[in-house]
Amino acid sequence: MLLQDRTAVVYGGGGNVGGAMARAFARHGATVHLAGRTRATLRAVADEITEAGGKVYADAVDALDERAVDEHTARVLERSGRLDVSVNVISDQDVQGTPMAEMSPDDYLRPIITSITSKFLTARAAARVMVPQGSGLILYFGGSFDWQAARRFSVGGMGLTFDAVESMRKQLACELGPSGIRVVTLRTSGLPETIPPDFEGRDELVSYLTAQTLTGRLATLREVGELAAFVASDSAALLTGAEFDMSAGTSIR
């Protein structure tokens, strides 16, 4: 029980990655607060956690709304008395598959604005609790962008989005480290389970991502959840300001 008596908030907790992390946090003893905009998907994940004996809350929260994020954080404190882990994996609303020169400004900029705004708001809310507490983890997902992929696929604004989040992670780690707060990114090489079956070029993309690994396979959602729980635990207390590489070796160049 790596996270016994801990409290975790997962923004985007009704999605594939968020749900996987939430289930793992609960399996390891944490009280989990799911936050997202779609009640049905949040409820589905919450029901699974409850049926497995975990403790969970689910709230409709727009992570792009400053007031909503701050009010939800206050509710987490009322219910659990502390906040140990904050994860933001909401959808970036990105458009991929269109060459950059053919994109509209809105489509290119949307994931950048969405991701940075929501991650700023949720990290700020978490930090304001964690600094007086003297401990905590702000966890991101994705890592530095692999620009080799852009030679074969039109990635829209996602490359800039990933790299901007990594800059935010580094800044937060530097500023919050003296207060005992860690900031870490889980670096992945792609998750086939998150790619829609009807996505054009899906098979080519999965084959490309798999070929970049050293082990010949990509991570599963359950593995992502388990590694997130490990990073959130005291066993990873020295890990901050860094990417935790779960890419099966794709970052070796």
Side-chain angles (χ1 to χ4, degrees):
M1 302 292 279
L2 293 172
L3 303 177
Q4 188 68 45
D5 300 324
R6 305 290 176 87
T7 299
V9 177
V10 183
Y11 298 94
N16 289 322
V17 175
M21 291 184 181
R23 294 181 190 96
F25 292 156
R27 281 196 301 271
H28 287 282
T31 297
V32 179
H33 296 258
L34 302 174
R37 293 193 298 180
T38 307
R39 291 183 182 275
T41 55
L42 291 174
R43 192 69 261 163
V45 175
D47 287 345
E48 287 185 47
I49 292 173
T50 299
E51 290 171 7
K55 187 172 183 180
V56 62
Y57 299 90
D59 295 288
V61 179
D62 183 352
L64 292 165
D65 184 322
E66 178 179 6
R67 181 176 178 178
V69 169
D70 290 343
E71 288 180 348
H72 179 255
T73 302
R75 287 199 298 276
V76 171
L77 286 179
E78 290 175 3
R79 292 164 172 167
S80 299
R82 60 184 298 113
L83 174 55
D84 300 290
V85 184
S86 177
V87 183
N88 184 329
V89 286
I90 73 165
S91 169
D92 292 326
Q93 303 176 28
D94 56 296
V95 174
Q96 299 190 47
T98 302
M100 185 176 174
E102 299 176 13
M103 296 184 73
S104 70
D106 286 345
D107 283 347
Y108 182 78
L109 294 172
R110 187 181 302 110
I112 304 165
I113 295 170
T114 297
S115 184
I116 294 301
T117 300
S118 70
K119 288 178 175 62
F120 171 80
L121 292 176
T122 57
R124 187 185 67 175
R128 289 175 173 177
V129 174
M130 293 174 179
V131 168
Q133 186 176 277
S135 65
L137 170 70
I138 296 172
L139 186 63
Y140 292 144
F141 183 80
S144 301
F145 193 73
D146 178 6
W147 287 101
Q148 292 299 316
R151 299 175 66 178
R152 298 185 59 179
F153 305 98
S154 296
V155 299
M158 286 308 296
L160 182 54
T161 299
F162 275 47
D163 288 345
V165 171
E166 286 303 275
S167 293
M168 179 183 289
R169 183 259 297 165
K170 293 171 186 176
Q171 182 176 355
L172 283 170
C174 291
E175 294 184 2
L176 300 177
S179 298
I181 300 163
R182 299 185 294 120
V183 189
V184 179
T185 298
L186 295 182
R187 176 171 182 152
T188 179
S189 56
L191 296 167
E193 292 168 274
T194 68
I195 304 173
D198 59 350
F199 179 81
E200 185 176 353
R202 183 186 190 281
D203 292 343
E204 181 188 2
L205 177 58
V206 172
S207 295
Y208 169 80
L209 294 172
T210 303
Q212 305 311 302
T213 70
L214 299 181
T215 60
R217 74 176 189 89
L218 298 165
T220 66
L221 284 171
R222 185 178 178 90
E223 287 173 325
V224 168
E226 288 298 316
L227 287 171
F230 169 76
V231 171
S233 74
D234 289 341
S235 296
L238 295 179
L239 183 63
T240 190
E243 295 178 327
F244 185 83
D245 196 323
M246 40 170 273
S247 70
T250 61
S251 62
I252 293 179
R253 293 289 183 262

